Amino acid sequence: MDFKSSETVPGPRAEDHLPHTATAAVKIVIVGGFGVGKTTMVGSVSEIRPLTTEETMTQAGIGVDDNYGSDTKTATTVAMDFGRISITEQLVLYLFGTPGQERFWFLWNGLFEGALGAVVLVDTRRLEVSFDVIGRLEERGVPFVVAVNDFPDGPHYPMEDLRAALDLSEEIPMVKCDARRRASSRDVLMTLMRFLHSIAMAQASA
Amino acid sequence: MSPPQRRRRSPKAARQEKPAPPPAGEESGPGRSRELERLYVVTGQASGGDRAELDLVTLIVTCADAPPTAQPEQLALLRLCRAPMSVAEVSAYLNLPFSVVTVLLTELLTAELVQARVPIVRSELPDRSLLEAVMHGLQKL
Ligand SMILES: Nc1nc2c(ncn2[C@@H]2O[C@H](COP(=O)(O)OP(=O)(O)O)[C@@H](O)[C@H]2O)c(=O)[nH]1
Ligand SMILES: [Mg+2]
């Protein structure tokens, strides 16, 4: 990017500025395979037009680790869409739509470690795409809920069959959703928050 | 027809705070590392010689006028953060990777031109009033 003049950098619209009272932020991660509806969900609840943050990663060819081997390296750009919801004058919630492959997660410091929790978006047309994501969250101890995105051309399984297929324990909430609808996406986020709240209650009384 | 079947996994022993290093064979490209190096040289020995601990949702606020020596990237950032803005938003608007933005921000934090407001992260005992505030905020959507 050319930085000849800072005036040329397009900033947020005036109404997209956070108030000066904004002192802290929290984040929730929406994770799932390509085309499952992550960006759609972020966009349907965000108060700003979804933005994108990118990292470029290069894969070195065998035996190539110097600056002259660029022609044998393949660059992968990994993009993450995100949106924002102002909770109070002080508190802001950010939502990140994150690619399902764990090998990309290290690109963003503490993406999952710092998140309140995660939403795993599942597409019944390609259920197995979410298997690894769910396993990684289990290994990392990240609390999550599963949202089943209802695509009209996808197979319709009873929720209990899906729970069994995903081998989810009873306490993990599952919901159907239409990521294109704000109310439906909001309900998914509420389900996650209620789940986190119940975990906090249980820990407090333990 | 029945769906494919997954097997549950158990939590691994407590992970380190730091994110896992990139798998072997994945590293910064030549152009990228040169750019980082250039930015890094300007950074000097900020906070123990390392980059500042910045999260995607650390809020950045400009707190001083730009010095005449400020570089164009720095000027752009200082303008953007006149109102509080997350590191992720800065990265999106400047069209720069998160990793490059954290280097720029380390310089500006060292020079006390910006302030960082640290995010609230998940902890062993999450603050229930925080969770309730988020639920209340979502209900208004
Ligand atoms: N029918 C239906 N289509 C959806 C839903 N969510 C997303 N889509 C469509 O699926 C496509 C991929 O969605 P996108 O959000 O880009 O997926 P991403 O790759 O996970 O970010 C788009 O054409 C969306 O309009 C949903 O809940 N129902
Ligand atoms: Mg997307």
Side-chain angles (χ1 to χ4, degrees):
Chain A
M1 186 174 182
D2 193 358
F3 273 102
K4 282 207 188 68
S5 161
S6 61
E7 309 289 332
T8 61
V9 172
R13 301 174 304 172
E15 61 267 39
D16 288 345
H17 285 295
L18 286 174
H20 276 273
T21 50
T23 44
V26 290
K27 63 180 184 282
I28 288 175
V29 176
I30 299 169
V31 63
F34 181 76
V36 71
K38 302 181 295 292
T39 303
T40 306
M41 178 170 279
V42 167
S44 68
V45 288
S46 178
E47 68 193 16
I48 55 169
R49 180 180 56 83
L51 296 169
T52 307
T53 173
E54 290 185 342
E55 283 287 339
T56 302
M57 209 169 73
T58 51
Q59 190 109 38
I62 292 164
V64 177
D65 60 358
D66 58 44
N67 282 352
Y68 305 103
S70 52
D71 52 344
T72 63
K73 292 183 180 187
T74 48
T76 314
T77 299
V78 187
M80 197 160 58
D81 292 332
F82 65 97
R84 195 183 80 193
I85 302 170
S86 293
I87 298 295
T88 64
E89 290 289 297
Q90 292 80 35
L91 182 64
V92 197
L93 169 65
Y94 285 90
L95 302 168
F96 288 90
T98 303
Q101 303 96 314
E102 191 199 33
R103 63 198 173 89
F104 295 145
W105 297 352
F106 75 90
L107 290 171
W108 294 282
N109 235 345
L111 177 60
F112 283 91
E113 287 73 15
L116 294 180
V119 171
V120 179
L121 258 188
V122 165
D123 176 349
T124 55
R125 295 169 302 182
R126 284 166 299 152
L127 200 60
E128 63 284 355
V129 169
S130 57
F131 288 4
D132 191 54
V133 176
I134 294 175
R136 304 287 183 177
L137 296 179
E138 284 170 341
E139 286 172 355
R140 289 167 177 246
V142 179
F144 64 92
V145 300
V146 172
V148 183
N149 213 353
D150 225 349
F151 287 94
D153 55 332
H156 290 277
Y157 301 115
M159 219 43 152
E160 280 320 298
D161 291 6
L162 283 175
R163 180 180 291 281
L166 293 172
D167 196 16
L168 297 177
S169 65
E170 272 310 310
E171 70 270 14
I172 295 180
M174 291 185 76
V175 276
K176 276 199 200 282
C177 77
D178 183 333
R180 296 165 300 179
R181 296 183 45 229
R182 173 175 276 208
S184 180
S185 299
R186 186 218 25 228
D187 288 347
V188 171
L189 297 176
M190 281 300 281
T191 302
L192 174 65
M193 294 312 300
R194 273 190 236 104
F195 180 52
L196 298 176
H197 195 262
S198 71
I199 294 173
M201 295 285 274
Q203 282 180 350
S205 63
Chain B
M1 200 182 91
S2 59
Q5 182 63 47
R6 187 186 82 93
R7 292 265 304 276
R8 198 177 301 180
R9 297 188 205 166
S10 42
K12 284 191 174 159
R15 290 194 155 243
Q16 288 178 298
E17 280 295 294
K18 290 272 175 194
E26 286 170 359
E27 53 192 52
S28 299
R32 169 73 172 287
S33 57
R34 262 200 300 277
E35 183 180 11
L36 279 175
E37 204 176 306
R38 178 177 75 81
L39 292 167
Y40 212 74
V41 169
V42 188
T43 311
Q45 294 290 308
S47 60
D50 214 339
R51 279 188 247 169
E53 276 295 325
L54 291 164
D55 189 278
L56 280 164
V57 300
T58 301
L59 296 177
I60 307 298
V61 201
T62 301
C63 58
D65 290 331
T69 53
Q71 297 163 357
E73 296 97 322
Q74 295 178 322
L75 284 174
L77 202 153
L78 291 170
R79 283 176 59 84
L80 276 178
C81 296
R82 282 177 190 159
M85 182 178 278
S86 66
V87 179
E89 283 164 291
V90 172
S91 154
Y93 287 121
L94 293 186
N95 202 13
L96 288 172
F98 173 69
S99 53
V100 174
V101 172
T102 60
V103 175
L104 277 173
L105 280 171
T106 302
E107 299 166 12
L108 296 174
L109 285 163
T110 307
E112 296 180 347
L113 297 175
V114 299
Q115 286 174 343
R117 299 176 177 177
V118 297
I120 303 171
V121 299
R122 185 178 78 247
S123 56
E124 286 300 309
L125 260 185
D127 179 358
R128 266 182 290 159
S129 60
L130 169 83
L131 298 175
E132 284 157 15
V134 173
M135 291 198 273
H136 191 77
L138 287 174
Q139 252 146 8
K140 289 186 299 188
L141 266 186

